[in-house]
Amino acid sequence: AQSVTQPDIHITVSEGASLELRCNYSYGATPYLFWYVQSPGQGLQLLLKYFSGDTLVQGIKGFEAEFKRSQSSFNLRKPSVHWSDAAEYFCAVGPRGYQKVTFGTGTKLQVIP
Amino acid sequence: AAGVIQSPRHLIKEKRETATLKCYPIPRHDTVYWYQQGPGQDPQFLISFYEKMQSDKGSIPDRFSAQQFSDYHSELNMSSLELGDSALYFCASSPAEGAERAGANVLTFGAGSRLTVL
């Protein structure tokens, strides 16, 4: 069974500082990996995805993530955080095909001035 | 660009009542997924449909049922509502098999329907 672990429930960073959100997955084959962002009371917006190829993927809003097979990780990074990045971030894993994705428990990001 | 449309956005019901949520996928998306997100929780998969047939089933209670219609929209029916059913219900859609390179398996989510059971 596929699973996703996001070890950090809450993270607080200063505006302008760099950010790294951790994600580890468990899956029998090379999965599809995703990062979604959810602002309070809002839906889930796709930030970026990894299917294959280059292990460093670029997403929207200046985010990037690196797939590391040896560590079963897909950490999300941003070099300089903006106050508008405050939200909850979900890592998700899914197999090829028309099947569900499984979400991690989420990391809530707080940005302080 | 068209997005996934969910209605209603907010719904208040009392215990033991019935509720129906609707989802209109992105045009040419043939797969629909339903997720439930309780307060402070991650989204939990309920059920999915591909070409109007149920394709996968998750932690959906027996009191809930869903279907996908010929126009690909989907409805989630919830009966005998309980307080614990209060949650944000998301619908997502993904494109057809022929578009795999374009991003099949990439779920686009709607804004959600917030159900409150009193």
Side-chain angles (χ1 to χ4, degrees), chain A residues 57-111:
Chain A
V57 292
Q58 303 296 321
I60 62 171
K61 304 185 179 185
F63 285 92
E64 66 178 26
E66 186 171 13
F67 170 60
K68 292 186 177 180
R69 185 190 306 273
S70 61
Q71 299 176 18
S72 297
S73 70
F74 189 56
N75 294 348
L76 181 71
R77 300 194 293 250
K78 186 169 184 178
S80 177
V81 170
H82 187 262
W83 64 266
S84 61
D85 293 324
E88 189 154 19
Y89 292 79
F90 291 94
C91 183
V93 61
R96 183 182 297 271
Y98 307 98
Q99 300 181 47
K100 62 186 181 293
V101 294
T102 298
F103 287 91
T105 50
T107 297
K108 196 162 289 186
L109 173 66
Q110 182 182 9
V111 180

